[in-house]
Amino acid sequence: DEDRRLEVLRSLRVLDSPAEERFDRYTREVAALGVVPIALVSLVDADRQWFKSRHGTDVEQTPRDMSLCAHAILGDDVLQVEDTLADPRFADNPMVADGPRLRFYAGMPLTLADGSRVGTLCVADYRPRHLDDDQLAALRRVAAQVVDELQAAGS
């Protein structure tokens, strides 16, 4: 239910808000755990993905049709794409084919208590890679902490 998901996302009142250390610490943590250059708290809005926290990039948002995270929110668990160029869903995506030429992506949906998936905690790299079971577990654990922060922000 996309309308409900967007309503819940907006009720959090975090879209277009300033950076906050309480979110930035999580992107730093997952970047270090996965040894990746990019980590984001990405919130998927109607026409864009907006980054509440970003590590390793200055990009604040992208159009939703360029969003790898928009694919990740469709599932319940981590979406790991070890080589985006080898995946037909992403090979033509401007984030892959043009700049910044992302080759790896892993995103854990940020699922709120009501079941709404409002975005992801994601990591990316410029080279193909694979997160092992421990790294995936850490991504899940930290994503749960981000969800707690989001729900605290919306209450």
Side-chain angles (χ1 to χ4, degrees):
D1 184 358
E2 181 69 358
D3 290 336
R4 173 77 179 129
R5 188 189 73 76
L6 292 170
E7 179 182 318
V8 170
L9 170 61
R10 292 180 184 129
S11 75
L12 297 173
R13 294 187 289 271
V14 294
L15 289 172
D16 300 307
S17 62
E20 296 178 68
E21 175 58 24
R22 66 189 180 121
F23 292 101
D24 294 344
R25 66 184 173 175
Y26 296 122
T27 51
R28 286 193 307 270
E29 181 179 350
V30 295
L33 288 170
V35 193
V36 293
I38 298 172
L40 304 161
V41 172
S42 173
L43 301 174
V44 180
D45 203 356
D47 299 319
R48 66 182 174 149
Q49 69 177 348
W50 178 77
F51 306 126
K52 175 60 181 164
S53 177
R54 54 192 189 275
H55 172 87
T57 182
D58 291 330
V59 176
E60 294 179 5
Q61 65 184 14
T62 67
R64 184 169 175 171
D65 62 358
M66 292 171 54
S67 170
L68 283 69
C69 297
H71 292 267
I73 65 169
L74 299 176
D76 293 328
D77 199 12
V78 176
L79 170 64
Q80 180 170 207
V81 183
E82 295 178 13
D83 187 348
T84 56
L85 282 177
D87 190 313
R89 296 172 296 177
F90 304 111
D92 293 335
N93 184 302
M95 301 298 287
V96 174
D98 302 327
R101 302 181 85 70
L102 299 177
R103 292 290 301 277
F104 167 79
Y105 171 86
M108 177 64 194
L110 300 173
T111 306
L112 303 183
D114 74 347
S116 298
R117 295 183 198 114
V118 296
T120 69
L121 176 64
C122 67
V123 294
D125 201 341
Y126 304 107
R127 62 184 178 87
R129 61 180 311 125
H130 172 82
L131 296 183
D132 65 27
D133 289 344
D134 290 339
Q135 292 167 320
L136 290 170
L139 185 61
R140 291 181 190 104
R141 176 186 50 78
V142 176
Q145 294 171 314
V146 171
V147 167
D148 290 343
E149 291 291 351
L150 286 170
Q151 292 182 144
S155 55

